[in-house]
Amino acid sequence: MKMNMKKYGKYLCFAGIGMLGITLFYLAFAAWCSMLWAKDSVLFYLEEPVSVEEALSISEVNREMAKMRQEGQEGQAVPLNYCIWGQKEQAAVSNKELSRSTAADVIYLSGNPELLFEDCRIPIQEDAQGCLIDEETAWELFGSSQVVGKEVFCQEKSYIIRKVIPAKGRVLAFQASHAQIVKELSAEGEEKPSADSVLQRITVQKPGESSIRDLQMILAGQYGLDVQVLDTELLRGIGGCLLLAVPVTVCLFLWILLCRRCRGQETLRQKAVLGGFSLALAAGLIFFLGKWVRIPDDYIPTLWSDFSFWTGLWEEKLEGMKLLLRIPKGIPDFEWMDGFFRTAAYSLLAELLALLLFAEARRRMDRYFSCLCQSLC
């Protein structure tokens, strides 16, 4: 009786580890999918920030380009769906009606807010008084999250809340306008834009079949912006590879086990059965990888023997990773950062559990496949 209880306890332990591994894999997949909502958007970093005045000028130029396109005028100009933005940390936000105040990160927008906050198309660019607020800050100021239409004050200016958004931190976001441009005197007595009036990031939706390099040329040629790409596509690729490592490990382990059993069989029929299982498993893995793995065009050289391409690609991606680590992060960045780290953590834990489970269950699986082969043959 004790032996049976001990045996069943081991089976339950293995089943629990397997279920935990499956749960972790599901969480990793969900985290990776969360990185895809802005897949068609490209993030850029401006080494030389632009002022609010410059951002508004860019907006006017883009509006004229869109108007020309609507009127059917041909030209090289391409209007973009973009959002230039910058963040000031820990600004004072208050509700004067209830005499409540708190600190939140302020995000200056110039463009489409939906590129930063999912399913959020307001406030529009012409709405200088509207703002977005996160749920935590709304509760802190009003004691409720039903605050659309209510008034908040930030930097001695009033704003009307247009929408409450889910966010990873306290945030107040509004469209930049001329009324928000603050000037300060430099050492030489000249006016210069203050830290509140500069924007250092731009998120752009890729138009049609345009590549990232095309977008860089458009931003430089049409708007005079010298931008650097934030390669979040690389992070999605790394996260996807870590995620795929789990099913690949499972398939490889089963395939190796089948091949070992196939070599140990005495009859041709038994070998044929296990060989058929091995081929089916290999074909399934190849089909799975072919369906889910997509290699970007800029990762494929014209000639595979062009070793300088691989060297240049490695250096480019290494510099891209350094840039991602170096730049100051804003609240809109938390979405892809959180998705990547959760994908990596859950995938690695699921991979570790799979390896531990297979290492302990190898002998039992050997006996299982032996019995299966005998029953089929």
Side-chain angles (χ1 to χ4, degrees):
M1 185 67 177
K2 288 183 178 180
M3 291 294 291
N4 286 337
M5 290 296 292
K6 191 174 181 180
K7 181 179 178 181
Y8 291 141
K10 287 183 178 180
Y11 287 144
L12 288 174
C13 182
F14 289 143
I17 293 174
M19 289 301 297
L20 179 59
I22 293 172
T23 302
L24 288 171
F25 179 75
Y26 170 78
L27 293 173
F29 181 74
W32 184 74
C33 289
S34 71
M35 300 174 67
L36 300 180
W37 77 267
K39 186 178 179 181
D40 294 332
S41 299
V42 183
L43 279 60
F44 295 100
Y45 177 70
L46 297 163
E47 289 286 0
E48 294 293 332
V50 298
S51 67
V52 171
E53 290 175 312
E54 292 171 317
L56 295 175
S57 298
I58 290 171
S59 173
E60 187 62 31
V61 171
N62 197 65
R63 193 178 295 112
E64 289 296 325
M65 292 177 185
K67 184 178 179 181
M68 291 171 61
R69 282 296 180 97
Q70 289 178 352
E71 294 174 352
Q73 299 182 30
E74 297 295 332
Q76 299 297 322
V78 179
L80 297 177
N81 182 16
Y82 72 94
C83 184
I84 302 176
W85 60 279
Q87 179 171 315
K88 177 187 176 183
E89 297 182 355
Q90 298 300 296
V93 183
S94 63
N95 173 7
K96 292 186 177 181
E97 184 178 345
L98 297 178
S99 299
R100 292 184 177 183
S101 64
T102 186
D105 293 336
V106 172
I107 297 180
Y108 296 87
L109 308 172
S110 179
N112 183 5
E114 192 176 18
L115 295 174
L116 302 187
F117 306 105
E118 188 176 7
D119 297 327
C120 184
R121 300 181 180 181
I122 53 177
I124 62 174
Q125 196 159 5
E126 292 76 18
D127 184 2
Q129 194 177 11
C131 73
L132 305 172
I133 195 171
D134 72 286
E135 294 177 351
E136 184 180 355
T137 306
W139 275 98
E140 186 77 18
L141 294 177
F142 298 93
S144 170
S145 60
Q146 307 299 317
V147 296
V148 174
K150 295 187 177 181
E151 186 179 37
V152 294
F153 286 81
C154 180
Q155 298 176 347
E156 301 180 355
K157 188 179 186 301
S158 66
Y159 296 94
I160 304 300
I161 298 174
R162 304 301 187 198
K163 188 173 183 178
V164 178
I165 57 174
K168 300 297 182 181
R170 296 173 176 237
V171 60
L172 187 75
F174 44 73
Q175 294 283 354
S177 68
H178 287 288
Q180 295 153 357
I181 299 174
V182 182
K183 299 289 185 177
E184 64 182 6
L185 292 179
S186 65
E188 293 78 14
E190 298 178 353
E191 282 191 340
K192 65 178 183 178
S194 74
D196 296 347
S197 64
V198 293
L199 311 170
Q200 205 164 13
R201 298 286 296 278
I202 176 169
T203 303
V204 183
Q205 185 177 26
K206 284 201 301 185
E209 299 298 323
S210 297
S211 66
I212 293 177
R213 289 187 177 87
D214 293 335
L215 279 179
Q216 284 182 289
M217 294 176 63
I218 292 172
L219 290 171
Q222 295 181 180
Y223 308 108
L225 296 175
D226 183 17
V227 296
Q228 292 181 275
V229 181
L230 299 180
D231 200 351
T232 53
E233 184 67 33
L234 177 60
L235 293 183
R236 283 194 290 265
I238 294 173
C241 289
L242 293 173
L243 184 65
L244 287 175
V246 179
V248 168
T249 299
V250 173
C251 290
L252 286 177
F253 178 84
L254 294 175
W255 186 76
I256 292 171
L257 185 61
L258 285 169
C259 289
R260 286 177 54 199
R261 296 301 305 170
C262 183
R263 288 197 300 267
Q265 299 304 312
E266 297 179 355
T267 66
L268 182 61
R269 186 176 180 182
Q270 290 177 332
K271 290 185 178 182
V273 170
L274 291 177
F277 275 120
S278 299
L279 291 175
L281 187 63
L285 179 60
I286 292 172
F287 175 79
F288 175 77
L289 293 177
K291 183 175 181 180
W292 286 98
V293 176
R294 294 290 182 269
I295 301 176
D297 293 337
D298 57 350
Y299 284 59
I300 302 174
T302 306
L303 296 173
W304 290 97
S305 58
D306 184 7
F307 296 107
S308 61
F309 172 84
W310 302 110
T311 303
L313 181 63
W314 170 260
E315 292 176 352
E316 178 185 344
K317 298 306 173 183
L318 186 60
E319 289 300 319
M321 289 299 296
K322 290 179 180 179
L323 181 63
L324 282 173
L325 294 172
R326 175 173 61 85
I327 64 168
K329 308 298 189 298
I331 287 178
D333 294 314
F334 292 168
E335 192 71 32
W336 56 264
M337 290 171 59
D338 179 66
F340 172 73
F341 287 120
R342 285 192 294 120
T343 301
Y346 290 142
S347 297
L348 291 174
L349 287 174
E351 177 79 7
L352 179 61
L353 287 178
L355 293 174
L356 290 174
L357 182 63
F358 290 144
E360 292 294 328
R362 186 178 60 181
R363 286 181 298 176
R364 291 178 175 80
M365 293 184 73
D366 273 340
R367 289 198 297 268
Y368 171 77
F369 277 111
S370 179
C371 295
L372 177 63
C373 183
Q374 290 176 2
S375 63
L376 289 173
C377 298

